[in-house]
Amino acid sequence: MRRAWVGYRWLGTGLAALLAVATLTLWATGRLALYLNPSSDWLAVPMAVLLLVGAVLSFLLPLGAEADHGHDHGDQDAAHAHAHAHGHDHDHGHDAPRRARVLAVTGGVAASVVAAGVLLWPPASLSADIAQTRSTGSAPLFAGADVVQLASHGDTSTFGVGDWASVFATATNPDAFEGDAVTLIGFVTPGSGGTFGLTRLVITHCVIDAQTARVPVSATLPTRGLKTGQWVRVSGVVRTTAAGGLEVDARSVRTIAQPKDPYEY
């Protein structure tokens, strides 16, 4: 029975404490942004601390105390005795608890593997393959009209790939952006018509809702050595295309290492 209580406690407070430690470790090492929008740190970190404190305090309880609810089982014992006296067979009643234990152990092992993986597996950003899989060919869903409004007034100094992707997709007067200077960082994805895609993943809350933002880049300078997924810094100007759309006319394309924070928010 003692082993059972240890197992139950691990499945509850043990795993919760492990995930809280993982969250705090990622935050302390600056890697929580690989999973969560930094604007949510103010909530995630205090909640992890609170969870960890609660887990530690729960371990101060003696094993089995959580099940000491003071119920009187005398009536149940009498009922079992009555059933046996009348020849009732309760063998089938033991199958349900056995199945429940098997399911609990299976779920506990799976949860333990996931929790251990969070701590032991090096965190990594979502790949270019995932970005292409999630790409819908349109601007990020949560890019608002205020982005286009700012761009039309020339206030684009802080624009990233996601902002420009919204402008490129929704601008009703593309000529208004002709000649705007841009310097953008992203990774390379395949393009068409002599262009390549400069791409970033845009996160609203966490990596689960990551959306693909992409702007087409044309360059007269040699870019044949660029590979899908390679990070680059592109400097150039916005140009209108013959089809009436927008693209970045690159004057400089330099390969760089993946930035510490690979997402836009």
Side-chain angles (χ1 to χ4, degrees), residues 8-32:
Y8 294 152
R9 184 160 289 184
W10 167 250
L11 290 178
T13 55
L15 287 175
L18 187 62
L19 292 176
V21 169
T23 300
L24 293 174
T25 300
L26 290 170
W27 172 73
T29 56
R31 297 177 296 173
L32 187 58

Side-chain angles (χ1 to χ4, degrees), residues 173-200:
N173 183 19
D175 291 336
F177 306 103
E178 177 79 23
D180 283 6
V182 296
T183 298
L184 300 171
I185 291 175
F187 54 85
V188 175
T189 52
S192 60
T195 68
F196 66 87
L198 185 66
T199 307
R200 292 289 288 266

Side-chain angles (χ1 to χ4, degrees), residues 23-214:
T23 300
L24 293 174
T25 300
L26 290 170
W27 172 73
T29 56
R31 297 177 296 173
L32 187 58
L34 293 175
Y35 301 100
L36 191 68
N37 189 324
S39 65
S40 299
D41 286 359
W42 68 272
L43 177 62
V45 174
M47 290 301 294
V49 172
L50 184 62
L51 179 60
L52 185 58
V53 171
V56 171
L57 291 177
S58 70
F59 275 95
L60 299 178
L61 294 172
L63 286 175
E66 53 268 44
D68 186 14
H69 43 67
H71 289 179
D72 185 3
H73 296 280
D75 293 340
Q76 294 181 12
D77 294 339
H80 283 296
H82 178 76
H84 284 295
H86 288 78
H88 292 174
D89 186 3
H90 288 273
D91 289 341
H92 295 292
H94 294 290
D95 292 338
R98 188 178 297 113
R99 287 195 296 269
R101 285 195 295 271
V102 171
L103 290 174
V105 171
T106 303
V109 171
S112 299
V113 170
V114 171
V118 171
L119 280 178
L120 301 177
W121 198 268
S125 62
L126 298 179
S127 67
D129 291 336
I130 293 178
Q132 294 180 79
T133 300
R134 294 191 179 187
S135 177
T136 61
S138 59
L141 179 62
F142 297 107
D146 56 335
V147 172
V148 180
Q149 186 68 18
L150 283 172
S152 65
H153 288 81
D155 187 10
T156 61
S157 57
T158 61
F159 275 24
V161 173
D163 300 315
W164 277 114
S166 179
V167 172
F168 281 23
T170 58
T172 57
N173 183 19
D175 291 336
F177 306 103
E178 177 79 23
D180 283 6
V182 296
T183 298
L184 300 171
I185 291 175
F187 54 85
V188 175
T189 52
S192 60
T195 68
F196 66 87
L198 185 66
T199 307
R200 292 289 288 266
L201 285 164
V202 180
I203 290 177
T204 303
H205 298 293
C206 64
V207 293
I208 295 176
D209 61 40
Q211 301 175 74
T212 301
R214 178 183 178 278

